[in-house]
Amino acid sequence: KMVKKVAKGKKVVMSTGGSKSGGKKDNTALFEKSARNYRIGGDIQPVRDLTRFVKWPKYVRVQRQKRILLQRLKVPPTINQFSQTINKDQAGKLINLLSKYKPESKSEKKERLQKQAEKKDEKKGPKPVNVKYGLNHITTLVENGSAKLVVLAHDVDPMELVLHLPALCRKKNVPFCIVKGKARLGRVVGKKTATALALTEVKKEDYTDLENLCKSFRAAFNDNDKLRRTWGGGVMGIKNVHKMEKR
């Protein structure tokens, strides 16, 4: 048999038959713990959260930057009031009420008009009670005083489109509220999004529900002076906060 030559300075590691201590067997552990090796050809790499290292699409980056900017910059009260929305319970009750008065579809309207045309001798029936939508239409309804309740979305872009409505509602003493999500309002009227909705009249059975909602919205929005005077934003980042504390 050929004996391998051992280079000077190198130690020869003797096999101990899978036990830590020399030739003695350790009966305490069933399996030996072996350190993981993450080099090429070694163990599988562990799952890491690489969110910070992802190059996100531009529209995602712009969304995030805008959100941070709105936190940092001081926001005047007229814009800041749109961040104060109604709670989940109130929103649920409101959407349930609005969904009872969904506008009729094209086919339903056509059917209704055909039936009216067939009955020539009889008088025309009453117009269906529906939710009103469309910014210009709602503005005229508020100006005329025929709107009973106005619902605004908090995420209208550009915000300037609806900035006049809260002030107009206060002036005309029309109760209004701000709800999270223009898509949610859009679902009520069968559109992708809706910036504002209004109720002009309701059926007798829903009158008490409308009155209760109007009462709570008047207190929270119309008569709330704090809402008109509170500035928003001015929230600094964590690094800046620590820097200011050291000063």
Side-chain angles (χ1 to χ4, degrees):
K1 289 181 180 177
M2 292 290 288
V3 180
K4 286 184 180 179
K5 289 182 180 180
V6 181
K8 286 181 181 180
K10 288 186 178 179
K11 289 180 181 178
V12 179
V13 180
M14 296 294 287
S15 173
T16 57
S19 62
K20 288 180 182 176
S21 57
K24 292 176 184 177
K25 287 187 178 180
D26 188 11
N27 297 323
T28 54
L30 185 62
F31 299 105
E32 286 270 335
K33 187 181 178 183
S34 57
R36 283 181 174 254
N37 172 27
Y38 295 124
R39 296 170 117 186
I40 295 165
D43 291 289
I44 297 164
Q45 290 281 331
V47 178
R48 292 188 181 92
D49 185 17
L50 303 173
T51 318
R52 282 184 60 116
F53 307 103
V54 176
K55 189 177 182 185
W56 294 98
K58 195 173 181 182
Y59 79 95
V60 175
R61 278 178 280 156
V62 169
Q63 277 174 0
R64 290 175 180 178
Q65 285 165 358
K66 187 188 174 185
R67 192 181 175 190
I68 298 293
L69 264 177
L70 288 173
Q71 286 177 349
R72 302 282 180 270
L73 301 172
K74 281 192 173 182
V75 183
T78 43
I79 297 171
N80 186 52
Q81 67 183 337
F82 282 88
S83 63
Q84 310 299 316
T85 54
I86 60 175
N87 60 42
K88 200 176 179 181
D89 295 336
Q90 285 179 324
K93 287 175 186 175
L94 180 65
I95 296 297
N96 285 341
L97 179 67
L98 292 172
S99 55
K100 287 180 184 179
Y101 300 97
K102 278 187 175 182
E104 57 190 359
S105 63
K106 282 184 179 180
S107 57
E108 286 171 345
K109 190 178 180 181
K110 190 180 179 183
E111 200 177 305
R112 179 173 61 85
L113 292 171
Q114 271 181 343
K115 282 179 182 178
Q116 278 184 9
E118 284 166 10
K119 299 172 184 177
K120 288 180 181 178
D121 301 331
E122 293 179 27
K123 290 180 182 178
K124 286 183 179 179
K127 248 190 171 183
V129 180
N130 290 332
V131 176
K132 310 296 179 188
Y133 62 98
L135 263 177
N136 292 339
H137 185 35
I138 285 167
T139 307
T140 32
L141 288 172
V142 175
E143 284 171 345
N144 298 339
S146 51
K148 298 273 174 70
L149 175 65
V150 176
V151 185
L152 306 172
H154 89 296
D155 56 348
V156 180
D157 191 39
M159 191 60 81
E160 288 82 358
L161 293 171
V162 287
L163 281 182
H164 67 285
L165 275 172
L168 186 65
C169 288
R170 286 188 185 106
K171 190 182 177 183
K172 295 287 180 179
N173 199 23
V174 176
F176 75 96
C177 67
I178 296 160
V179 178
K180 274 189 178 178
K182 57 186 177 182
R184 201 177 183 187
L185 297 184
R187 234 174 284 137
V188 174
V189 292
K191 303 281 179 188
K192 280 185 182 176
T193 57
T195 51
L197 303 178
L199 278 171
T200 49
E201 52 185 317
V202 290
K203 292 169 187 173
K204 282 183 181 178
E205 59 264 26
D206 298 321
Y207 190 75
T208 49
D209 292 339
L210 180 68
E211 282 296 306
N212 292 335
L213 286 170
C214 287
K215 194 178 179 182
S216 59
F217 294 155
R218 268 185 208 280
F221 293 95
N222 290 57
D223 305 330
N224 191 355
D225 292 328
K226 194 182 176 183
L227 200 69
R228 282 183 278 177
R229 291 171 188 161
T230 309
W231 281 68
V235 180
M236 291 295 112
I238 193 75
K239 287 180 184 176
N240 198 36
V241 168
H242 289 315
K243 196 186 278 185
M244 296 301 280
E245 281 174 359
K246 282 180 182 177
R247 285 182 189 174

